[in-house]
Amino acid sequence: MILVVSLVYCMIYILNYIYPLFLDDWTYNFVFMENERVSSLSDILVSQYNHYFTWGGRTVVHIICQALLLLDFFWICVLNAAAYVALLYVMYSIANKNNKVNPFVFFLCHVCVWFLQLAFCQTVLWKTGSANYLWGMLIVLLFMYPYYIYFRNREYSNGVLKVILFFIIGIIAGWTNENIGLALIFYILACLFLYRREKMKLPGWAISGLIGAILGCGAMLLAPGNYERLASVEQMVAEQGGTMLGTYLFNLKNLLKYSALTVLPLLMAYIAGLIIYKRQKQDNKERDMVIKSSLLFLATAFIALFALMASPASEKRAMFGIIVLFIIPALQIYANLDFSIKPLKVLNIIMLTVLLLYYAVDYTWKYQTIHIASTAWKEREPIIEDYKNRGVDTVTFTNRFQIHVKYGLQDLSDDPENLVNVVCSRYYGFKWMKAVDSDSEK
């Protein structure tokens, strides 16, 4: 198990290290809405105060983002890779609860995230994206875990310190991401309902955690910046001759398409696994708890998906937490199947072998493609330093690269007024920067 976890960590760290800072990473190096670079925790707090009132309420994850960007790039990658492995391990711990250590379940958890996350690079490797989605989901799952464990083990514990701690952490967890925050509240309420229905003691920490999550989610949703941002979107749509209804319908269409590519396969796997699981002779009490807890995660995933459908945004990366929540119940059933039956065992070996081979090929593709961007920016570093030393305030690079949009990296344009160029120029301290093909004139 240690070997598998270590290998996954190293492979994700390598991709993190070759994935360069990009766009919002450059922006969040500055105090939001100001021209001062972030250099301390107090700068981050000022930045997030401005952010809260002018752009959005995801204060917790943006504090994480700006705190990471304060560090040396090596340590950013170390921590980011650690957060990814931690998320996988929490997912694995939920799925494999009360079973023997199973590295195959952990590996399957990794490849599910790897292949089913439509914006893997933007949510795991891109530093701002990882803070928003990877780190945010890690916090939420860690907070959900004690509620899940209490339902599975029925071991009651309480105390004033625990009640206070869950209230505080509940605020943080609820304040991470809009649709996931709402899903978290649903999950806790559903857990409390199950506790009462099965005549379990209701711990004080479970209630204080719910109150904290509601307050945190409310603070995020009611941020004045959300409405400032929505107003700017409405204005932009109107200027383009569109309507907000048309925007919502377009985004809904995209989300349904994303769901067909990710949620549908997981649902099919869950149903198939559930049919097999229910037919196998196992302890009825344990089986019922596995099924109930998996259905609870499934319902929570749907709540997160429906909440996102009410949003005017439809970026692929916004599906990250939803897909994680759909992966968990499928893995729960898989982890509890009896693979001693020969046909099922053979099928499992074939599936894992195919996934391993495909993963090896896809990892190589990702590495080679991201390395193109990484190499280009490394070649530019001495040029940037030289121009700064000579007091030159404009830069034209002749090693422009182009890679697929799914990798979440876009090179500088040949137009200095392009948004990416403007943000990059500000970050490096130049009047303007641009990139052209090697055979173009400077």
Side-chain angles (χ1 to χ4, degrees):
M1 182 68 178
I2 295 174
L3 178 62
V4 174
V5 173
S6 300
L7 282 173
V8 170
Y9 175 85
C10 291
M11 296 181 84
I12 294 300
Y13 169 79
I14 290 169
L15 292 182
N16 260 281
Y17 193 75
I18 65 170
Y19 199 93
L21 298 181
F22 174 68
L23 201 56
D24 287 4
D25 299 331
W26 299 328
T27 298
Y28 285 114
N29 266 275
F30 293 86
V31 176
F32 197 76
M33 299 297 289
E34 297 182 17
N35 289 320
E36 296 295 323
R37 282 187 178 268
V38 172
S39 60
S40 65
L41 178 60
S42 61
D43 287 341
I44 294 176
L45 295 178
V46 171
S47 181
Q48 288 313 306
Y49 176 86
N50 295 344
H51 194 277
Y52 187 81
F53 284 95
T54 60
W55 191 249
R58 294 184 190 175
T59 307
V60 169
V61 293
H62 282 108
I63 287 176
I64 293 172
C65 172
Q66 293 198 292
L68 283 173
L69 292 171
L70 268 178
L71 304 175
D72 180 79
F73 189 73
F74 167 79
W75 289 109
I76 297 175
C77 299
V78 166
L79 293 174
N80 224 31
Y84 178 76
V85 170
L87 178 70
L88 293 185
Y89 197 80
V90 177
M91 294 170 67
Y92 161 81
S93 299
I94 293 171
N96 204 49
K97 181 62 183 170
N98 294 338
N99 296 330
K100 294 179 180 178
V101 173
N102 192 336
F104 297 110
V105 175
F106 184 87
F107 169 73
L108 190 57
C109 180
H110 170 51
V111 295
C112 281
V113 174
W114 178 274
F115 288 119
L116 293 173
Q117 289 293 350
L118 297 174
F120 181 87
C121 293
Q122 290 182 316
T123 51
V124 175
L125 306 179
W126 183 37
K127 308 312 178 271
T128 299
S130 67
N132 270 268
Y133 300 101
L134 168 61
W135 286 79
M137 196 61 203
L138 173 60
I139 292 170
V140 170
L141 269 193
L142 284 171
F143 188 67
M144 294 169 75
Y145 190 70
Y147 289 89
Y148 168 74
I149 290 300
Y150 181 52
F151 176 71
R152 291 295 304 271
N153 291 350
R154 313 295 171 102
E155 295 177 0
Y156 180 83
S157 66
N158 210 15
V160 176
L161 183 61
K162 194 170 184 178
V163 170
I164 295 172
L165 188 63
F166 267 77
F167 174 72
I168 295 170
I169 300 176
I171 293 175
I172 295 171
W175 204 333
T176 51
N177 186 283
E178 295 84 0
N179 66 310
I180 298 300
L182 292 171
L184 171 63
I185 292 169
F186 168 82
Y187 181 83
I188 297 173
L189 286 169
C191 282
L192 296 181
F193 172 77
L194 282 176
Y195 298 163
R196 293 300 298 269
R197 184 180 178 182
E198 305 209 0
K199 298 179 180 179
M200 297 166 60
K201 285 186 178 181
L202 206 59
W205 58 261
I207 298 172
S208 68
L210 172 63
I211 295 170
I214 292 172
L215 290 175
C217 188
M220 175 174 55
L221 294 175
L222 296 174
N226 290 330
Y227 305 99
E228 292 283 336
R229 190 176 182 181
L230 180 60
S232 66
V233 171
E234 290 175 344
Q235 182 181 352
M236 181 181 68
V237 169
E239 289 174 353
Q240 294 174 350
T243 64
M244 286 303 293
L245 177 60
T247 301
Y248 276 106
L249 291 176
F250 176 77
N251 291 337
L252 178 60
K253 179 182 176 181
N254 283 337
L255 289 175
L256 291 174
K257 180 176 68 175
Y258 303 154
S259 298
L261 293 171
T262 57
V263 174
L264 189 57
L266 287 168
L267 279 177
M268 292 172 65
Y270 176 80
I271 294 169
L274 187 60
I275 292 171
I276 297 170
Y277 182 57
K278 292 186 75 172
R279 289 182 177 180
Q280 292 179 343
K281 292 182 179 180
Q282 298 190 32
D283 178 76
N284 288 335
K285 185 178 179 181
E286 177 67 16
R287 184 185 66 184
D288 289 345
M289 281 203 291
V290 169
I291 293 174
K292 285 178 183 177
S293 59
S294 69
L295 287 172
L296 180 51
F297 274 105
L298 196 65
T300 304
F302 273 111
I303 292 297
L305 179 60
F306 295 150
L308 185 61
M309 287 180 177
S311 166
S314 64
E315 295 93 347
K316 290 178 180 178
R317 59 179 178 265
M319 291 286 294
F320 184 87
I322 296 168
I323 295 169
V324 166
L325 289 171
F326 273 109
I327 289 172
I328 289 172
L331 284 177
Q332 279 182 285
I333 299 300
Y334 172 85
N336 286 279
L337 290 175
D338 181 6
F339 287 106
S340 63
I341 303 169
K342 191 170 182 180
L344 202 58
K345 183 178 181 179
V346 171
L347 185 63
N348 186 48
I349 292 172
I350 293 172
M351 180 191 72
L352 291 173
T353 303
V354 171
L355 284 174
L356 177 60
L357 293 174
Y358 187 31
Y359 169 69
V361 172
D362 196 55
Y363 183 90
T364 304
W365 286 342
K366 273 190 173 64
Y367 176 87
Q368 290 175 343
T369 305
I370 296 169
H371 194 260
I372 293 171
S374 177
T375 301
W377 278 106
K378 283 184 177 178
E379 289 173 352
R380 294 169 183 177
E381 288 174 2
I383 298 173
I384 290 171
E385 191 64 30
D386 177 56
Y387 277 37
K388 281 185 176 181
N389 291 336
R390 292 194 287 123
V392 180
D393 62 357
T394 62
V395 184
T396 300
F397 298 116
T398 58
N399 62 341
R400 189 179 180 190
F401 64 86
Q402 288 185 339
I403 59 176
H404 196 282
V405 67
K406 72 177 181 180
Y407 296 99
L409 288 170
Q410 176 186 343
D411 199 9
L412 300 176
S413 164
D414 57 4
D415 177 12
E417 299 302 317
N418 180 276
L419 176 62
V420 176
N421 297 50
V422 171
V423 175
C424 185
S425 301
R426 182 192 184 208
Y427 174 74
Y428 284 107
F430 290 100
K431 183 178 179 181
W432 58 255
M433 302 172 72
K434 67 178 183 178
V436 297
D437 295 328
S438 58
D439 57 350
S440 301
E441 292 184 6
K442 292 185 179 180

